[in-house]
Amino acid sequence: MKRITVLSDLSERIEYNIPELPIYARCDPLSIFPDCRCPCHWHRDLEFIHVINGDLHHFVNGRVTVLHPGEGVVVNSSRLHYGFSPTRQDVRFSCAVISPSLFEHLTPSVTARCERAFAQHMDDCLLLTPDVGWQQDVLMGIERVVRLAPGGGVRGSENRTDMSPLPAVAAAIELCDMVLDRFRPNGGDGPGEDESIEQRNRMSVLGMTGLIQHRFRDPLGLDDVAAAGGVSRSQCCILFRKYVGRTPNEYLTERRVEEARRLLRETNGSITEIARACGFSTASYFVNVFRKRVGVTPGAFRSRP
């Protein structure tokens, strides 16, 4: 299983292939994430996905798109997103996550291109299909970055961090150059009232998810979560469904189960102690929720090799 580090504001702390080079590039199965669902997150980096096999459901800022084999997506900077399979069917995909710091300050014109492309009123994502010439080029470019990146996920090169990084940097910059000017305004020619509302909504979501990340051990109610975002109970549920893809209670439960997984793996605490440490009211309730979410009891999960 892969654990990604998501901070209280839902930003991901990306573990690049090598720390000195802000490029993440691997080919992995979706099953590296619990329940075949990546946690909801955002980052400044552009994210490129190419589906190899299986159907990947991909969420970006409230919209879910089903990506079939051979298709892909480019997620714009600072957008909430995650991939998942509602039926827990495995999916294999290539992923390249590239920091704008590689190129955004090269020249004033490049800086201007980046600022325009990454603005909040621009497209949240670009869908990719092999039937369109430039999109096929992007899909091939994703595979090139994965192949060239030191420590990438190509068979036989998983541990090759001694590879020269220069070809990967060149391929990553070329890949970003292919898409920067493809982002279009998503509702007008520039920022306006709609963008201000969108920004307020996202800030509310970050406040509410941040509260849950910090205080998931406490007996939180819907009123507590809504207050953290400065919204009503009904608006809280609407915003969670739009931006996080589930209800506040589902998100809270997932966070508690995630912590329970960690404690079961890393400590010798009893089931009762772990239930209490994760915010569950009773051990029996914890066992029922854990079994429903994970498919096995906490005891069976702990005994896995």
Side-chain angles (χ1 to χ4, degrees):
M1 290 293 178
K2 177 182 178 180
R3 289 176 55 85
I4 72 172
T5 303
V6 178
L7 305 182
S8 61
D9 63 353
L10 289 189
S11 62
E12 179 189 1
R13 189 172 65 200
I14 300 171
E15 295 184 6
Y16 299 112
N17 288 30
I18 56 176
E20 301 83 4
L21 184 66
I23 298 174
Y24 172 93
R26 291 195 63 86
C27 183
D28 283 313
L30 190 60
S31 56
I32 60 174
F33 300 108
D35 303 324
C36 290
R37 178 186 290 267
C38 176
C40 185
H41 63 280
W42 65 271
H43 40 65
R44 282 203 70 235
D45 308 50
L46 289 173
E47 182 164 323
F48 300 79
I49 299 288
H50 178 209
V51 178
I52 307 302
N53 55 55
D55 292 334
L56 177 67
H57 288 63
H58 201 268
F59 173 103
V60 184
N61 269 358
R63 178 183 177 186
V64 175
T65 302
V66 181
L67 303 174
H68 304 292
E71 298 176 341
V73 65
V74 184
V75 181
N76 204 348
S77 174
S78 303
R79 269 61 173 182
L80 288 168
H81 62 280
Y82 62 93
F84 67 102
S85 170
T87 58
R88 300 183 183 178
Q89 298 298 307
D90 210 357
V91 181
R92 192 163 190 85
F93 63 98
S94 293
C95 177
V97 182
I98 302 168
S99 172
S101 64
L102 282 174
F103 54 85
E104 63 185 337
H105 298 304
L106 288 175
T107 67
S109 63
V110 172
T111 300
R113 288 177 67 196
C114 292
E115 290 177 349
R116 179 183 182 278
F118 303 157
Q120 290 297 312
H121 68 279
M122 303 297 279
D123 288 329
D124 292 326
C125 65
L126 302 173
L127 299 180
L128 305 173
T129 171
D131 299 328
V132 178
W134 72 266
Q135 296 176 18
Q136 169 69 356
D137 291 341
V138 174
L139 292 167
M140 294 174 61
I142 296 171
E143 297 303 324
R144 186 160 54 250
V145 173
V146 171
R147 184 175 67 252
L148 295 173
V154 178
R155 184 181 298 276
S157 68
E158 288 86 349
N159 299 315
R160 290 291 310 282
T161 56
D162 60 332
M163 297 168 61
S164 170
L166 293 181
V169 172
I173 293 176
E174 181 182 8
L175 183 59
C176 292
D177 184 56
M178 293 182 192
V179 303
L180 276 182
D181 299 326
R182 299 285 180 177
F183 293 104
R184 298 287 183 264
N186 56 25
D189 294 329
E193 182 179 355
D194 289 344
E195 181 183 355
S196 297
I197 294 173
E198 185 80 359
Q199 284 289 78
R200 287 199 299 271
N201 286 343
R202 292 178 187 175
M203 292 303 297
S204 293
V205 171
L206 295 181
M208 293 185 290
T209 54
L211 175 76
I212 290 174
Q213 290 287 335
H214 278 303
R215 294 182 49 198
F216 65 89
R217 299 177 181 85
D218 300 339
L220 294 176
L222 185 58
D223 288 333
D224 300 311
V225 178
V231 296
S232 66
R233 290 164 57 98
S234 60
Q235 183 69 359
C236 168
C237 295
I238 290 171
L239 292 178
F240 259 85
R241 179 60 64 186
K242 177 178 180 181
Y243 291 96
V244 186
R246 41 193 133 342
T247 68
N249 187 60
E250 288 171 340
Y251 184 79
L252 173 60
T253 300
E254 287 183 5
R255 180 65 184 91
R256 287 172 170 169
V257 169
E258 178 189 4
E259 178 67 6
R261 287 172 181 267
R262 186 186 70 80
L263 293 177
L264 288 167
R265 283 193 301 263
E266 300 176 6
T267 75
N268 294 319
S270 69
I271 301 301
T272 299
E273 290 171 333
I274 290 176
R276 186 182 306 115
C278 296
F280 292 97
S281 55
T282 66
S284 59
Y285 177 60
F286 164 56
V287 171
N288 288 335
V289 171
F290 192 92
R291 180 167 48 201
K292 183 181 296 185
R293 294 275 177 173
V294 183
V296 296
T297 64
F301 179 84
R302 170 175 269 169
S303 64
R304 286 177 172 175

